[in-house]
Amino acid sequence: MFIYKFGGASLKDSEGIKTVGKIIKRNAKEGLVIVISAMGKTTNALEIVHKYYLSGDKNNCKAHIETIKMYHLNLIGEIFSEKNNICRKINNYFLEIEEITNKEPSLNPDFEYDKIVSYGELISSTIISEYLKSIDVENEWVDIREYLITDDFFREANINFALSEKLICGKFKSNKIFVTQGFIGGTITKLTTTLGREGSDYTAALLGYFLNAESVTIWKDVPGILTADPKIMNNYTQIKKLSYEEAIELAYYGAQVIHPRTIKPLQNKNIPLYVKPFYNEEETGTEISCCQNQNKLPPIFIHKFNQCIINITSKDFSFIVEENIKYIFTLLCKHKLKTNLLQQSAISISLCVDYDERKVYSFTKELENSFTIKIETNLTLLTIRHYTLKVLAEQVNSNNVILEDINRYVAKLVIKN
Ligand code: ASP
Ligand code: MG
């Protein structure tokens, strides 16, 4: 089995979709599962629909649904010569979205979110499956919600590994080409869930894991993994090979190229991951595998935006030791806040976390009785792996660094924007 994943940027216009079609046609193997994300910025657009739906703004909700519909219908117009069948299917999805948003929402916004936002992948995978058929690539469209089973932690659902393994191995056993959705799953009671933003890479890795795939390939609109984000820095090179350890660290600290949860399932079964440019399949891209990086890697810069520092100081001068730390971390876990850096002193602790206003608010609310809380937002976490003293000095001198954590290999700088 082979797994291919195509992201929204590769599918954002007719040219992209045709290129994807060519790649699949040329590489069509027996036993290929193709994982598809929502096209272009559709997920963002559906998030706005969700927002208007919850706020009761029916007009804006309708207008945004219409814009998303037109975007997809226009794309269809450009890539299909025979449109009736695909237009009927896509119109049906939009009827379903309208039906959902015409009802009163339940009291669980995250449940409503997953119901609405999941249409991005349902629609895109249907278009790709039909498009492939139109260019003579026979394939079966699979509704992954029936096989990738999760709990009901809506918006960031957790995989039920035992059940998913059984169902996925049962479904994808023949040597066909399958087209399915990234990012979404379903509960045992058949409710729709999502796995967290940008989660399609994770779906691809999970399918690779369950099916013991020979490899997983993520086709992207970048040449592979680079030593810095070209949008931020001018000097960068491409990394040809990376170990799983190195890749998981890069992804965790915000390298946008792969989703952080992607690496673990692949490492656990020693399945190589290829990150390749979809616009030029001849290019080698980056291979992530159990290889050890022979030569010392060059400095790698990872910018993680939208960070905040939460400073927690005990009110009664009690030390931040075992009991207090346990309490703070239990709450971090409860509110699903990910710490990117922490620094401790006798009576206080500073945590650098992704700034999700809702989560940060509910977390700090619970601490307020015993601790004084200060929050600083508008920060960027710059991680430099394999830094040299020269590059570190350059960054420290040219930025307003308010917190740092430097060990022998990795420097982390929290920068005020
Ligand atoms: N479409 C989803 C998102 O944009 C999932 C993904 O692209 O991986 O977050
Ligand atoms: Mg996407």
Side-chain angles (χ1 to χ4, degrees):
M1 273 287 182
F2 293 86
I3 316 289
Y4 281 1
K5 180 251 160 173
F6 294 94
S10 325
L11 306 166
K12 70 173 193 293
D13 50 25
S14 55
E15 208 184 315
I17 297 175
K18 285 179 187 164
T19 309
V20 167
K22 280 184 199 141
I23 292 178
I24 295 170
K25 196 161 176 146
R26 269 201 292 269
N27 296 279
K29 307 183 198 314
E30 297 199 326
L32 174 65
V33 183
I34 302 167
V35 177
I36 299 292
S37 297
M39 290 168 167
K41 300 268 176 242
T42 303
T43 306
N44 294 358
L46 286 164
E47 282 189 344
I48 296 173
V49 169
H50 169 251
K51 196 184 82 191
Y52 283 126
Y53 171 49
L54 291 193
S55 72
D57 187 339
K58 286 210 157 66
N59 288 340
N60 261 316
C61 188
K62 266 213 167 81
H64 277 82
I65 296 173
E66 195 55 30
T67 311
I68 303 170
K69 184 169 159 183
M70 289 323 294
Y71 166 67
H72 286 93
L73 291 179
N74 284 339
L75 267 180
I76 288 172
E78 290 171 33
I79 56 173
F80 286 90
S81 45
E82 170 40 53
K83 302 182 195 45
N84 286 348
N85 176 40
I86 180 68
C87 283
R88 186 181 44 78
K89 288 188 177 190
I90 300 309
N91 278 322
N92 277 341
Y93 283 131
F94 281 97
L95 286 177
E96 288 174 22
I97 300 176
E98 275 159 30
E99 201 180 313
I100 292 169
T101 52
N102 276 334
K103 285 194 198 120
E104 273 301 302
S106 70
L107 295 177
N108 185 345
D110 294 343
F111 165 67
E112 302 298 340
Y113 177 99
D114 286 358
K115 258 200 302 193
I116 293 171
V117 168
S118 53
Y119 277 96
E121 271 69 14
L122 292 169
I123 293 167
S124 62
S125 60
T126 303
I127 294 177
I128 297 301
S129 169
E130 291 302 322
Y131 176 68
L132 289 175
K133 284 181 196 162
S134 78
I135 58 168
D136 298 324
V137 179
E138 263 321 299
N139 69 87
E140 179 181 342
W141 180 86
V142 178
D143 186 341
I144 202 68
R145 295 174 297 178
E146 293 171 24
Y147 305 94
L148 190 63
I149 306 301
T150 71
D151 64 6
D152 60 0
F153 197 86
F154 296 106
R155 230 173 147 151
E156 233 171 300
N158 302 293
I159 308 297
N160 179 329
F161 274 79
L163 207 49
S164 301
E165 173 145 51
K166 198 170 124 209
L167 294 169
I168 285 171
C169 290
K171 177 67 196 173
F172 295 90
K173 60 177 181 282
S174 76
N175 271 343
K176 290 195 219 168
I177 296 178
F178 297 92
V179 175
T180 193
Q181 310 79 41
F183 177 57
I184 70 176
T187 65
I188 44 171
T189 49
K190 294 199 179 293
L191 300 175
T192 303
T193 54
T194 63
L195 309 179
R197 284 303 307 266
E198 309 299 329
S200 300
D201 294 351
Y202 183 43
T203 305
L206 288 167
L207 288 170
Y209 174 89
F210 291 130
L211 297 169
N212 291 310
E214 270 171 66
S215 65
V216 172
T217 306
I218 297 182
W219 297 87
K220 302 225 38 147
D221 62 341
V222 292
I225 295 183
L226 306 173
T227 55
D229 183 342
K231 285 189 222 103
I232 306 170
M233 296 180 72
N234 299 327
N235 268 339
Y236 59 88
T237 54
Q238 191 189 325
I239 310 168
K240 298 274 180 209
K241 276 188 174 205
L242 270 185
S243 64
Y244 292 119
E245 288 79 8
E246 196 62 48
I248 202 165
E249 294 289 338
L250 293 181
Y252 186 84
Y253 284 103
Q256 296 287 316
V257 185
I258 29 173
H259 190 275
R261 282 158 102 184
T262 315
I263 305 297
K264 181 178 186 289
L266 300 176
Q267 187 277 341
N268 289 176
K269 289 216 177 153
N270 206 355
I271 298 168
L273 170 66
Y274 300 102
V275 179
K276 278 172 83 96
F278 84 99
Y279 50 81
N280 186 357
E281 53 179 302
E282 304 303 320
E283 279 186 30
T284 48
T286 300
E287 176 188 326
I288 297 162
S289 62
C290 62
C291 70
Q292 289 305 318
N293 285 106
Q294 302 292 343
N295 305 320
K296 194 176 170 318
L297 285 164
I300 304 177
F301 298 82
I302 315 146
H303 289 80
K304 195 168 200 185
F305 298 108
N306 199 23
Q307 299 293 293
C308 75
I309 290 181
I310 308 174
N311 180 270
I312 304 164
T313 307
S314 65
K315 281 185 177 164
D316 62 355
F317 248 62
S318 62
F319 292 125
I320 302 281
V321 285
E322 290 82 346
E323 276 308 310
N324 275 336
I325 290 182
K326 182 173 150 195
Y327 179 59
I328 293 168
F329 274 79
T330 308
L331 289 180
L332 280 172
C333 182
K334 176 175 162 194
H335 296 283
K336 291 235 161 188
L337 274 168
K338 298 181 186 80
T339 354
N340 298 319
L341 189 157
L342 71 91
Q343 227 163 50
Q344 199 187 343
S345 74
I347 59 163
S348 84
I349 187 167
S350 293
L351 307 167
C352 176
V353 301
D354 296 350
Y355 184 54
D356 177 326
E357 199 175 342
R358 204 171 47 128
K359 290 182 183 175
V360 169
Y361 176 79
S362 48
F363 167 68
T364 50
K365 198 86 202 131
E366 289 205 47
L367 290 166
E368 265 171 14
N369 283 340
S370 330
F371 302 92
T372 307
I373 310 287
K374 275 194 224 130
I375 302 174
E376 179 149 12
T377 57
N378 250 322
L379 306 174
T380 296
L381 173 65
L382 168 61
T383 304
I384 316 173
R385 296 185 61 75
H386 316 285
Y387 69 88
T388 59
L389 291 175
K390 182 167 169 274
V391 301
L392 181 57
E394 278 166 13
Q395 290 302 325
V396 170
N397 292 335
S398 59
N399 286 300
N400 181 5
V401 178
I402 59 168
L403 195 70
E404 58 182 45
D405 176 13
I406 298 172
N407 69 27
R408 271 170 65 197
Y409 305 107
V410 184
K412 292 189 225 165
L413 309 174
V414 181
I415 295 169
K416 181 92 193 150
N417 292 347

PDB file of all heavy atoms in Angstrom, residues 5-9 37-44 121 183 197-200, ligand 2:
ATOM      1  N   LYS A   5      -0.922  12.160  -0.034  1.00  0.00           N
ATOM      2  CA  LYS A   5      -1.799  13.200   0.510  1.00  0.00           C
ATOM      3  C   LYS A   5      -1.595  14.496  -0.260  1.00  0.00           C
ATOM      4  O   LYS A   5      -0.459  14.902  -0.504  1.00  0.00           O
ATOM      5  CB  LYS A   5      -1.518  13.388   2.003  1.00  0.00           C
ATOM      6  CG  LYS A   5      -2.393  14.454   2.638  1.00  0.00           C
ATOM      7  CD  LYS A   5      -1.610  15.670   2.983  1.00  0.00           C
ATOM      8  CE  LYS A   5      -2.486  16.894   3.147  1.00  0.00           C
ATOM      9  NZ  LYS A   5      -1.756  18.052   3.638  1.00  0.00           N
ATOM     10  N   PHE A   6      -2.692  15.106  -0.660  1.00  0.00           N
ATOM     11  CA  PHE A   6      -2.631  16.400  -1.346  1.00  0.00           C
ATOM     12  C   PHE A   6      -3.318  17.449  -0.482  1.00  0.00           C
ATOM     13  O   PHE A   6      -4.458  17.259  -0.063  1.00  0.00           O
ATOM     14  CB  PHE A   6      -3.313  16.326  -2.715  1.00  0.00           C
ATOM     15  CG  PHE A   6      -2.586  15.428  -3.679  1.00  0.00           C
ATOM     16  CD1 PHE A   6      -2.947  14.091  -3.816  1.00  0.00           C
ATOM     17  CD2 PHE A   6      -1.521  15.909  -4.420  1.00  0.00           C
ATOM     18  CE1 PHE A   6      -2.274  13.252  -4.688  1.00  0.00           C
ATOM     19  CE2 PHE A   6      -0.835  15.076  -5.300  1.00  0.00           C
ATOM     20  CZ  PHE A   6      -1.212  13.749  -5.430  1.00  0.00           C
ATOM     21  N   GLY A   7      -2.609  18.564  -0.262  1.00  0.00           N
ATOM     22  CA  GLY A   7      -3.148  19.617   0.597  1.00  0.00           C
ATOM     23  C   GLY A   7      -3.945  20.640  -0.189  1.00  0.00           C
ATOM     24  O   GLY A   7      -3.956  20.629  -1.429  1.00  0.00           O
ATOM     25  N   GLY A   8      -4.597  21.515   0.560  1.00  0.00           N
ATOM     26  CA  GLY A   8      -5.476  22.529  -0.036  1.00  0.00           C
ATOM     27  C   GLY A   8      -4.787  23.394  -1.067  1.00  0.00           C
ATOM     28  O   GLY A   8      -5.384  23.743  -2.096  1.00  0.00           O
ATOM     29  N   ALA A   9      -3.515  23.746  -0.832  1.00  0.00           N
ATOM     30  CA  ALA A   9      -2.820  24.647  -1.751  1.00  0.00           C
ATOM     31  C   ALA A   9      -2.612  23.993  -3.116  1.00  0.00           C
ATOM     32  O   ALA A   9      -2.611  24.668  -4.139  1.00  0.00           O
ATOM     33  CB  ALA A   9      -1.479  25.070  -1.153  1.00  0.00           C
ATOM     34  N   SER A  37      -7.320  17.113   1.201  1.00  0.00           N
ATOM     35  CA  SER A  37      -7.760  18.205   2.090  1.00  0.00           C
ATOM     36  C   SER A  37      -8.791  19.066   1.381  1.00  0.00           C
ATOM     37  O   SER A  37      -8.964  18.941   0.177  1.00  0.00           O
ATOM     38  CB  SER A  37      -6.616  19.161   2.406  1.00  0.00           C
ATOM     39  OG  SER A  37      -5.606  18.560   3.079  1.00  0.00           O
ATOM     40  N   ALA A  38      -9.364  19.980   2.114  1.00  0.00           N
ATOM     41  CA  ALA A  38     -10.295  20.933   1.512  1.00  0.00           C
ATOM     42  C   ALA A  38      -9.535  21.829   0.532  1.00  0.00           C
ATOM     43  O   ALA A  38      -8.347  22.088   0.707  1.00  0.00           O
ATOM     44  CB  ALA A  38     -10.934  21.771   2.603  1.00  0.00           C
ATOM     45  N   MET A  39     -10.229  22.266  -0.500  1.00  0.00           N
ATOM     46  CA  MET A  39      -9.560  23.036  -1.560  1.00  0.00           C
ATOM     47  C   MET A  39      -9.268  24.468  -1.136  1.00  0.00           C
ATOM     48  O   MET A  39     -10.140  25.148  -0.586  1.00  0.00           O
ATOM     49  CB  MET A  39     -10.443  23.040  -2.809  1.00  0.00           C
ATOM     50  CG  MET A  39     -10.488  21.665  -3.429  1.00  0.00           C
ATOM     51  SD  MET A  39     -11.733  21.487  -4.683  1.00  0.00           S
ATOM     52  CE  MET A  39     -11.176  19.923  -5.404  1.00  0.00           C
ATOM     53  N   GLY A  40      -8.052  24.920  -1.420  1.00  0.00           N
ATOM     54  CA  GLY A  40      -7.685  26.308  -1.130  1.00  0.00           C
ATOM     55  C   GLY A  40      -7.954  26.666   0.321  1.00  0.00           C
ATOM     56  O   GLY A  40      -7.583  25.939   1.230  1.00  0.00           O
ATOM     57  N   LYS A  41      -8.637  27.765   0.501  1.00  0.00           N
ATOM     58  CA  LYS A  41      -8.899  28.255   1.869  1.00  0.00           C
ATOM     59  C   LYS A  41     -10.315  27.902   2.341  1.00  0.00           C
ATOM     60  O   LYS A  41     -10.923  28.627   3.134  1.00  0.00           O
ATOM     61  CB  LYS A  41      -8.718  29.773   1.912  1.00  0.00           C
ATOM     62  CG  LYS A  41      -7.325  30.245   1.528  1.00  0.00           C
ATOM     63  CD  LYS A  41      -6.451  30.374   2.778  1.00  0.00           C
ATOM     64  CE  LYS A  41      -5.036  30.754   2.450  1.00  0.00           C
ATOM     65  NZ  LYS A  41      -4.055  29.756   2.855  1.00  0.00           N
ATOM     66  N   THR A  42     -10.848  26.788   1.831  1.00  0.00           N
ATOM     67  CA  THR A  42     -12.232  26.440   2.151  1.00  0.00           C
ATOM     68  C   THR A  42     -12.466  26.244   3.650  1.00  0.00           C
ATOM     69  O   THR A  42     -13.519  26.635   4.173  1.00  0.00           O
ATOM     70  CB  THR A  42     -12.633  25.158   1.384  1.00  0.00           C
ATOM     71  OG1 THR A  42     -12.435  25.399  -0.006  1.00  0.00           O
ATOM     72  CG2 THR A  42     -14.062  24.773   1.642  1.00  0.00           C
ATOM     73  N   THR A  43     -11.495  25.659   4.352  1.00  0.00           N
ATOM     74  CA  THR A  43     -11.704  25.424   5.785  1.00  0.00           C
ATOM     75  C   THR A  43     -11.879  26.750   6.530  1.00  0.00           C
ATOM     76  O   THR A  43     -12.768  26.879   7.374  1.00  0.00           O
ATOM     77  CB  THR A  43     -10.539  24.610   6.375  1.00  0.00           C
ATOM     78  OG1 THR A  43     -10.395  23.432   5.583  1.00  0.00           O
ATOM     79  CG2 THR A  43     -10.800  24.205   7.814  1.00  0.00           C
ATOM     80  N   ASN A  44     -11.044  27.740   6.178  1.00  0.00           N
ATOM     81  CA  ASN A  44     -11.204  29.065   6.791  1.00  0.00           C
ATOM     82  C   ASN A  44     -12.590  29.623   6.497  1.00  0.00           C
ATOM     83  O   ASN A  44     -13.245  30.191   7.375  1.00  0.00           O
ATOM     84  CB  ASN A  44     -10.164  30.053   6.247  1.00  0.00           C
ATOM     85  CG  ASN A  44      -8.760  29.673   6.663  1.00  0.00           C
ATOM     86  OD1 ASN A  44      -8.560  28.696   7.379  1.00  0.00           O
ATOM     87  ND2 ASN A  44      -7.782  30.429   6.213  1.00  0.00           N
ATOM     88  N   GLU A 121     -13.712  18.829   3.183  1.00  0.00           N
ATOM     89  CA  GLU A 121     -13.037  17.609   2.720  1.00  0.00           C
ATOM     90  C   GLU A 121     -14.005  16.680   1.981  1.00  0.00           C
ATOM     91  O   GLU A 121     -13.616  16.001   1.027  1.00  0.00           O
ATOM     92  CB  GLU A 121     -12.408  16.874   3.916  1.00  0.00           C
ATOM     93  CG  GLU A 121     -10.978  17.287   4.250  1.00  0.00           C
ATOM     94  CD  GLU A 121     -10.832  18.697   4.811  1.00  0.00           C
ATOM     95  OE1 GLU A 121     -11.854  19.287   5.208  1.00  0.00           O
ATOM     96  OE2 GLU A 121      -9.699  19.214   4.848  1.00  0.00           O
ATOM     97  N   PHE A 183      -8.339  14.860   7.753  1.00  0.00           N
ATOM     98  CA  PHE A 183      -8.819  15.817   8.751  1.00  0.00           C
ATOM     99  C   PHE A 183     -10.105  15.420   9.484  1.00  0.00           C
ATOM    100  O   PHE A 183     -10.385  15.919  10.549  1.00  0.00           O
ATOM    101  CB  PHE A 183      -8.980  17.181   8.043  1.00  0.00           C
ATOM    102  CG  PHE A 183      -9.537  18.329   8.820  1.00  0.00           C
ATOM    103  CD1 PHE A 183      -8.935  18.767   9.996  1.00  0.00           C
ATOM    104  CD2 PHE A 183     -10.662  19.027   8.359  1.00  0.00           C
ATOM    105  CE1 PHE A 183      -9.435  19.877  10.683  1.00  0.00           C
ATOM    106  CE2 PHE A 183     -11.155  20.134   9.034  1.00  0.00           C
ATOM    107  CZ  PHE A 183     -10.542  20.555  10.200  1.00  0.00           C
ATOM    108  N   ARG A 197      -6.855  21.615  13.158  1.00  0.00           N
ATOM    109  CA  ARG A 197      -6.498  22.273  11.903  1.00  0.00           C
ATOM    110  C   ARG A 197      -5.229  21.671  11.296  1.00  0.00           C
ATOM    111  O   ARG A 197      -4.321  21.284  12.003  1.00  0.00           O
ATOM    112  CB  ARG A 197      -6.308  23.784  12.120  1.00  0.00           C
ATOM    113  CG  ARG A 197      -7.596  24.586  12.283  1.00  0.00           C
ATOM    114  CD  ARG A 197      -8.562  24.463  11.122  1.00  0.00           C
ATOM    115  NE  ARG A 197      -8.027  24.746   9.810  1.00  0.00           N
ATOM    116  CZ  ARG A 197      -8.083  25.921   9.207  1.00  0.00           C
ATOM    117  NH1 ARG A 197      -8.648  26.937   9.816  1.00  0.00           N
ATOM    118  NH2 ARG A 197      -7.570  26.087   8.004  1.00  0.00           N
ATOM    119  N   GLU A 198      -5.224  21.589  10.018  1.00  0.00           N
ATOM    120  CA  GLU A 198      -4.119  21.037   9.229  1.00  0.00           C
ATOM    121  C   GLU A 198      -3.933  19.535   9.470  1.00  0.00           C
ATOM    122  O   GLU A 198      -2.867  18.987   9.235  1.00  0.00           O
ATOM    123  CB  GLU A 198      -2.794  21.772   9.496  1.00  0.00           C
ATOM    124  CG  GLU A 198      -2.858  23.282   9.377  1.00  0.00           C
ATOM    125  CD  GLU A 198      -3.260  23.764   7.985  1.00  0.00           C
ATOM    126  OE1 GLU A 198      -2.942  23.073   7.004  1.00  0.00           O
ATOM    127  OE2 GLU A 198      -3.925  24.807   7.897  1.00  0.00           O
ATOM    128  N   GLY A 199      -4.988  18.882   9.929  1.00  0.00           N
ATOM    129  CA  GLY A 199      -4.867  17.492  10.357  1.00  0.00           C
ATOM    130  C   GLY A 199      -4.827  16.440   9.251  1.00  0.00           C
ATOM    131  O   GLY A 199      -4.732  15.242   9.545  1.00  0.00           O
ATOM    132  N   SER A 200      -4.867  16.852   7.994  1.00  0.00           N
ATOM    133  CA  SER A 200      -4.890  15.837   6.922  1.00  0.00           C
ATOM    134  C   SER A 200      -3.595  15.024   6.843  1.00  0.00           C
ATOM    135  O   SER A 200      -3.619  13.851   6.484  1.00  0.00           O
ATOM    136  CB  SER A 200      -5.111  16.481   5.563  1.00  0.00           C
ATOM    137  OG  SER A 200      -6.318  17.153   5.550  1.00  0.00           O
TER     138      SER A 200
HETATM  139 MG    MG B   2      -6.181  22.825   4.511  1.00  0.00          MG
END
